[in-house]
Amino acid sequence: MRLVTAPALSCALAGLLVAAAASSLDDLRGFSAEAAKVEREWEAKFRAIPSPDSLREYMRRLSARPHHVGSPYDRDNAEWILAKLKGFGLDARIETFDVLFPTPKERIVELVEPTRFRAKLQEPPVAGDPTSSQQAEQLPTYNA
């Protein structure tokens, strides 16, 4: 199983909030005058990025399909995030790691006494939830 990672969009956006908090025009401790100017320019770029509407749309896009580790949509999300971060002017790249990812070959939840019951282990699609019918792409229910 291949794990594809990209700098998490939420972490980048959290960094934007931190950068926005340091908006004082006073000297930046630990920065030379020239480095402080460059830092302030980056902070101005970061402050211009977040908007509730775009964040809402980003989350809809990222969660539109099942995206567990190694899935096609996981890769698609990583590439989309990479393009967004590069579009924001950041130097970003995707790194690939080999990981162990346990998935079951057989899944059974069964009550044998006092009456026999075997759980179906699959939820039916929910009306109004566009992703609950994407069962072919979902991981099966299991506990690892």
Side-chain angles (χ1 to χ4, degrees):
M1 179 79 38
R2 305 287 282 179
L3 169 64
V4 179
T5 62
L9 184 59
S10 59
C11 289
L13 295 175
L16 298 176
L17 296 175
V18 170
S23 62
S24 165
L25 294 177
D26 299 333
D27 291 336
L28 287 176
R29 189 175 299 181
F31 286 80
S32 68
E34 183 178 328
K37 181 178 182 277
V38 171
E39 177 65 20
R40 293 294 185 211
E41 289 170 358
W42 274 108
E43 290 173 7
K45 288 179 187 180
F46 284 151
R47 280 192 299 275
I49 293 172
S51 86
D53 291 336
S54 61
L55 294 177
R56 192 174 296 109
E57 186 53 39
Y58 294 169
M59 293 311 296
R60 281 191 187 110
R61 194 263 180 233
L62 291 168
S63 63
R65 291 179 36 210
H67 53 277
H68 54 276
V69 63
S71 69
Y73 203 62
D74 179 50
R75 169 59 116 172
D76 192 63
N77 275 346
E79 291 170 352
W80 182 83
I81 291 169
L82 176 66
K84 279 288 180 197
L85 293 175
K86 285 185 173 186
F88 296 154
L90 299 172
D91 179 20
R93 68 181 183 281
I94 292 176
E95 294 185 28
T96 303
F97 300 90
D98 292 321
V99 297
L100 295 176
F101 183 63
T103 52
K105 293 184 184 275
E106 181 180 21
R107 304 170 306 120
I108 297 173
V109 174
E110 186 173 31
L111 177 67
V112 294
E113 292 293 333
T115 52
R116 189 172 213 84
F117 169 79
R118 182 176 277 194
K120 293 180 184 176
L121 299 179
Q122 185 170 359
E123 295 180 0
V126 176
D129 179 356
T131 62
S132 67
S133 62
Q134 298 171 337
Q135 295 173 352
E137 295 180 75
Q138 293 174 351
L139 281 176
T141 55
Y142 70 99
N143 185 17

